[in-house]
């Protein structure tokens, strides 16, 4: 029988390679895994129970919150609090940072930034959604409450980033800064099992992912790059294929495995880009780089952007190294406004 490595075994083995580790991150990841399984259970039965549809409230971005958005948010918050290792969370679903300032959590050495349910407009039509999480070491003193400065760290300070994809199978993919590994949920035993070891995004890809509905308002460099993707050049594998799910996690995951580029540039609706730096772009940029790809806002490396506030938005260009170099050439030549 093939030996299966569960997420928890993997975490323990990784921890053993770092004798100085206290086990705090392992506990945190363990609880993230539990939250992912709970959310997966609800996503899977979403068509069966009265959990579909909008909750009738709006979040800080003025977007309708879906019921599953709220469930995922509460579930991840509960598990992060229960880990005792996390002293606060910045979530897409909460305007302000949430401080865990009771009991054990005051001694928690980590903070988490998360998008508890990404792609939630896809829920009602049974299309893949995800969770994005990232973990930083707190800067504020252990033993007291966390503060805003803990949440406004640059992506270069990330300790762990990952996502959960609730798709045709459910996967948890994460990196602790030494490569990217993917775990597929085996529903028969209720465990995430190591299925994708040391994921590397192919340097060349043939997929471009962008919401072309906003084409007219794209920066000129992006328009020209899209035309380049569509031009026929069989020696270089063009025209490329266009794939856009509308769930960042799903679009990013496909490109990670197959090679490709994902672009969400400035548009008239979202002049600074739509995606959020702290809980969407930074974690994905960290994973892209760990897998051998790159991530920019069209000018700067995403991970080096100094965040000003927790819900700030940024354009995002990420994916295969050579495709990213090519789009940069177009942006440099034709401009990114
Ligand atoms: P969320 O559901 O967390 O608000 O995120 C939605 C994001 C992201 O998942 C996706 O890539 C993007 O919005 C899609 O936006 P468009 O519909 O504008 O293409
Ligand atoms: Mn999102
Ligand atoms: Mn979301």
């Amino acid at each position: 029988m093939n030996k299966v490595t569960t997420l928890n075994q993997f975490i323990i083995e990784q921890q053993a390679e770092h004798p100085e580790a206290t086990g705090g991150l392992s506990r945190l990841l363990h609880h993230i895994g539990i939250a992912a399984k709970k959310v997966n259970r609800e996503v899977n039965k979403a068509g069966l129970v009265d959990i579909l549809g909008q909750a009738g409230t709006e979040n800080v971005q003025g977007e309708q919150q879906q019921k599953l958005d709220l469930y995922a948010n509460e579930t991840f918050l509960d598990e992060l609090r229960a880990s005792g290792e996390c002293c606060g969370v910045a979530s897409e679903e909460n305007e302000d940072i949430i401080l865990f300032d009771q009991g054990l959590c005051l001694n928690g050495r980590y903070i988490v930034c998360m998008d508890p349910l990404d792609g939630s407009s896809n829920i009602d039509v049974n299309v893949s959604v995800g969770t994005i999480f990232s973990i930083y070491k707190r800067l504020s003193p252990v033993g007291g409450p966390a503060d805003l400065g803990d949440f406004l760290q640059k992506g270069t300070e990330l300790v762990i980033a990952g996502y959960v994809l609730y798709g045709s199978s459910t996967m948890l993919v994460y990196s602790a800064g030494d490569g990217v590994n993917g775990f597929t949920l085996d529903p028969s035993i209720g465990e995430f099992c190591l299925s994708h070891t040391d994921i590397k995004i192919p340097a060349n890809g043939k997929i471009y992912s962008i919401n072309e509905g906003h084409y007219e308002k794209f920066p000129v460099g992006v328009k020209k790059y899209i035309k380049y993707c569509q031009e026929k050049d069989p020696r270089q594998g063009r025209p490329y294929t266009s794939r856009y799910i509308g769930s960042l996690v799903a679009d990013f995951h496909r490109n990670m495995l197959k090679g490709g580029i994902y672009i969400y540039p400035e548009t008239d609706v979202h002049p600074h880009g739509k995606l959020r730096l702290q809980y969407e772009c930074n974690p994905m940029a960290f994973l892209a780089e760990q897998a051998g790809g790159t991530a920019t806002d069209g000018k700067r490396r995403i991970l080096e952007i100094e965040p000003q506030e927790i819900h700030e938005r940024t354009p995002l260009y990420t994916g295969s190294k050579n495709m990213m170099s090519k789009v940069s050439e177009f942006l440099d030549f034709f401009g990114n406004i």
Side-chain angles (χ1 to χ4, degrees), residues 183-257:
F183 301 80
T184 303
L185 183 63
D186 179 345
S188 68
I189 57 170
E191 293 281 1
F192 284 104
C193 300
L194 182 61
S195 54
H196 296 65
T197 310
D198 197 19
I199 298 171
K200 292 292 174 212
I201 179 167
N204 295 298
K206 293 179 183 169
I207 296 173
Y208 71 100
S209 316
I210 184 166
N211 183 345
E212 285 186 69
H214 299 290
Y215 183 87
E216 284 303 319
K217 301 294 176 189
F218 285 161
V220 181
V222 173
K223 287 184 179 178
K224 298 277 187 191
Y225 178 70
I226 291 174
K227 288 296 164 206
Y228 164 86
C229 292
Q230 296 170 345
E231 267 165 26
K232 190 170 176 190
D233 184 347
R235 285 167 310 155
Q236 291 189 39
R238 288 183 288 133
Y240 294 155
T241 294
S242 167
R243 289 281 182 272
Y244 190 75
I245 296 167
S247 289
L248 172 63
V249 171
D251 281 309
F252 182 87
H253 181 72
R254 182 203 53 243
N255 289 358
M256 278 276 270
L257 298 189

Side-chain angles (χ1 to χ4, degrees), residues 41-168:
R41 185 187 59 202
E42 296 305 312
V43 168
N44 279 342
K45 67 181 186 193
L48 297 172
V49 294
D50 181 29
I51 199 163
L52 274 176
Q54 291 167 355
T57 54
E58 287 189 349
N59 66 8
V60 62
Q61 342 278 334
E63 298 155 342
Q64 282 280 348
Q65 285 178 304
Q66 306 278 333
K67 286 182 185 173
L68 268 175
D69 277 324
L70 302 180
Y71 178 82
N73 195 40
E74 289 306 319
T75 303
F76 272 90
L77 286 174
D78 287 348
E79 288 298 332
L80 292 169
R81 193 183 289 110
S83 76
E85 303 293 342
C86 175
C87 58
V89 178
S91 165
E92 180 189 7
E93 300 305 330
N94 298 96
E95 179 162 4
D96 296 321
I97 52 174
I98 296 181
L99 301 181
F100 298 157
D101 51 5
Q102 307 285 318
L104 261 189
C105 294
L106 285 173
N107 293 325
R109 286 174 303 138
Y110 301 97
I111 63 98
V112 170
C113 298
M114 66 173 183
D115 178 354
L117 203 69
D118 172 68
S120 52
S121 65
N122 278 324
I123 298 165
D124 282 355
V125 289
N126 206 2
V127 171
S128 300
V129 291
T131 296
I132 306 172
F133 60 89
S134 52
I135 304 174
Y136 294 85
K137 257 199 185 117
R138 72 188 293 177
L139 300 173
S140 55
V142 173
D147 61 40
L148 188 59
D150 294 325
F151 297 88
L152 296 180
Q153 300 187 55
K154 290 191 290 186
T156 48
E157 305 308 310
L158 272 165
V159 178
I160 287 180
Y163 58 80
V164 185
L165 175 59
Y166 312 98
S168 46

